Amino acid sequence: MKGYIQVYTGNGKGKTTASIGLALRAAGAGLSVYIAQFLKKGDYSEIKALSRFENITVEQYGLGKFVKGSPSDEDRAAGAAGYQKLCEILSQNTHDVVIAEEGNVAVMCNIITEQALLALMDMKPDNIELIITGRGATPKVIERADLVTEMKEIKHYYHQGVTARVGIEK
Ligand code: ATP
Ligand code: MG
């Protein structure tokens, strides 16, 4: 089956959950899924749930801290490791669906370069479905993708002071 490049971006809620939903659907069809999460660290509930599936692998490449200003050496090293792993997964062509979770945010925070993310898109074997999530997709990433959905924030309780809740946002 031919694979395409999908991007879920924008300020509204649903980017990560869209990619998790896709992973679930793919796993149900017997496809194998690899997810690299940039920036994140710790037991997000989706990771606990997805670990029940033998054909979904999730790995985290982040410190789990908000990156303010320029990233630390540790931030960069974690991002580089995730990027390296994604390169391996794509070049070895071992999975059907590959998800670079918060890949756009990694670029925005200077954890990986835009050039690196574009290179990942270019090296994708024809059969792999590549998904990149995160707010702030750059114009070049958008141009190179086959499918781009912008989650548009109409309202978000974040502005009422409701931070991420276990089971709903994390
Ligand atoms: P979900 O994981 O529910 O699908 P998402 O992936 O679209 O959401 P992210 O952009 O990854 O959401 O946001 C992560 C967290 O940032 C949210 O759970 C929320 O707590 C917080 N957040 C939401 N809106 C804003 C905002 N406008 N500014 C800063 N932080 C926000
Ligand atoms: Mg997200």
Side-chain angles (χ1 to χ4, degrees), residues 7-17 102 104-105 108 133-137 142 148-159 169:
V7 171
Y8 293 96
T9 192
N11 292 330
K13 179 171 165 71
K15 301 171 289 292
T16 293
T17 45
E102 310 296 356
N104 296 320
V105 182
M108 209 161 53
T133 72
R135 52 185 70 203
I142 288 171
V148 181
T149 297
E150 180 183 8
M151 273 63 184
K152 184 178 187 305
E153 182 189 307
I154 306 291
K155 249 188 183 183
H156 199 305
Y157 39 59
Y158 176 84
H159 302 293
E169 275 87 27

Side-chain angles (χ1 to χ4, degrees), residues 1-4 26 29 31 93 96-97 124-129:
M1 182 170 69
K2 174 160 171 52
Y4 294 91
L31 302 180
N93 204 350
D96 302 295
V97 176
K124 181 191 88 64
D126 208 42
N127 56 294
I128 291 183
E129 192 86 9

Side-chain angles (χ1 to χ4, degrees), residues 16-164:
T16 293
T17 45
S19 70
I20 301 299
L22 191 71
L24 187 68
R25 178 180 281 163
L31 302 180
S32 68
V33 181
Y34 177 79
I35 306 173
Q37 293 195 311
F38 287 104
L39 298 141
K40 293 181 172 173
K41 183 185 175 179
D43 53 348
Y44 282 77
S45 308
E46 62 264 32
I47 298 199
K48 288 190 198 163
L50 294 179
S51 69
R52 298 183 190 182
F53 293 83
E54 60 185 20
N55 48 347
I56 301 179
T57 303
V58 190
E59 290 178 332
Q60 295 183 317
Y61 295 95
L63 306 186
K65 284 184 283 193
F66 193 73
V67 178
K68 271 186 271 175
S70 53
S72 67
D73 289 348
E74 288 91 342
D75 285 320
R76 277 212 194 83
Y83 182 71
Q84 187 58 41
K85 186 60 184 277
L86 282 167
C87 288
E88 277 170 37
I89 292 283
L90 289 176
S91 60
Q92 292 168 5
N93 204 350
T94 45
H95 294 73
D96 302 295
V97 176
V98 175
I99 303 177
E101 236 278 278
E102 310 296 356
N104 296 320
V105 182
V107 170
M108 209 161 53
C109 299
N110 296 309
I111 296 228
I112 62 168
T113 65
E114 181 189 33
Q115 212 48 50
L117 189 60
L118 294 169
L120 214 57
M121 297 169 90
D122 285 344
M123 80 171 70
K124 181 191 88 64
D126 208 42
N127 56 294
I128 291 183
E129 192 86 9
L130 175 65
I131 291 84
I132 300 167
T133 72
R135 52 185 70 203
T138 66
K140 282 185 183 152
V141 166
I142 288 171
E143 194 202 309
R144 215 161 290 193
D146 301 296
L147 178 154
V148 181
T149 297
E150 180 183 8
M151 273 63 184
K152 184 178 187 305
E153 182 189 307
I154 306 291
K155 249 188 183 183
H156 199 305
Y157 39 59
Y158 176 84
H159 302 293
Q160 264 83 59
V162 182
T163 52

